[in-house]
Amino acid sequence: DVKVTQSSRYLVKRTGEKVFLECVQDMDHENMFWYRQDPGLGLRLIYFSYDVKMKEKGDIPEGYSVSREKKERFSLILESASTNQTSMYLCASSLNAGTGELFFGEGSRLTVL
Amino acid sequence: GENVEQHPSTLSVQEGDSAVIKCTYSDSASNYFPWYKQELGKGPQLIIDIRSNVGEKKDQRIAVTLNKTAKHFSLHITETQPEDSAVYFCASYNTDKLIFGTGTRLQVFP
């Protein structure tokens, strides 16, 4: 069974803290994605990666960075968390870039106080 | 860039009725249109998709239609059941990424 695992389901952080959201997939997929989900705004792409060490900005990259040191792991980093980054974060992976099925993790709900 | 609009934002139906969710996209170059279902506490899951060379696709109780001229596509769920209750997202693939709609919360009442 395919699996995308996000390490933390719920996090509470303080403004200015550095936050790491970890994502691991066991499907040997080349492509990995980080989305942010907010009510009324749908899913918005933050960053994506089509290969190890490679990263591309999505639609809302400001305030975020990513790391992909290994094929199975894609990390989202908030260098200095702010209250407007309180949200649900979803990681996904896919076999085929673009038109392939996305497999999502269960999400990480981040609250920044 | 591509923009995807989705309507309605909420939809309530009686069990056994049909449900229709509609999306429009802006870029005529978009060529792939998936639908994802998100159940409470879970990540979205692909339920059906359609490519731009096809007008309609069915899978049991769900179907998707695509009108390229009008640049809109729709999800149809027939004989709805309580387990169909979820948030549904449409998406459009353009250039190098999927653009998602804003989601529709479907509630099916027994």
Side-chain angles (χ1 to χ4, degrees), chain A residues 9 37 50 59 98 102 104-105, chain B residues 36 38 41 43-44 93 96-97:
Chain A
R9 292 295 305 274
Q37 180 176 8
Y50 288 158
D59 299 315
L102 289 177
F104 284 89
Chain B
Y36 284 81
Q38 185 178 29
Y93 175 70
D96 61 354
K97 55 182 181 281

Side-chain angles (χ1 to χ4, degrees), chain B residues 6-78:
Chain B
Q6 182 171 350
H7 299 280
S9 57
T10 60
L11 180 59
S12 296
V13 300
Q14 203 75 31
E15 183 178 358
D17 287 350
S18 295
V20 180
I21 303 170
K22 298 181 179 181
C23 289
T24 60
Y25 59 99
S26 59
D27 192 334
S28 56
S30 296
N31 59 6
Y32 172 66
F33 308 93
W35 286 88
Y36 284 81
K37 175 184 180 182
Q38 185 178 29
E39 297 177 347
L40 196 61
K42 296 186 177 181
Q45 187 170 12
L46 179 71
I47 54 171
I48 195 167
D49 58 10
I50 192 168
R51 298 181 188 273
S52 58
N53 58 347
V54 175
E56 184 176 359
K57 184 176 179 181
K58 284 185 179 179
D59 184 3
Q60 300 182 343
R61 293 187 299 108
I62 60 173
V64 56
T65 58
L66 171 66
N67 182 327
K68 287 195 298 181
T69 303
K71 288 187 280 187
H72 66 70
F73 55 112
S74 300
L75 178 71
H76 304 254
I77 306 174
T78 59

Side-chain angles (χ1 to χ4, degrees), chain B residues 90-103:
Chain B
C90 63
S92 166
Y93 175 70
N94 179 268
T95 308
D96 61 354
K97 55 182 181 281
L98 277 176
I99 305 297
F100 283 86
T102 50

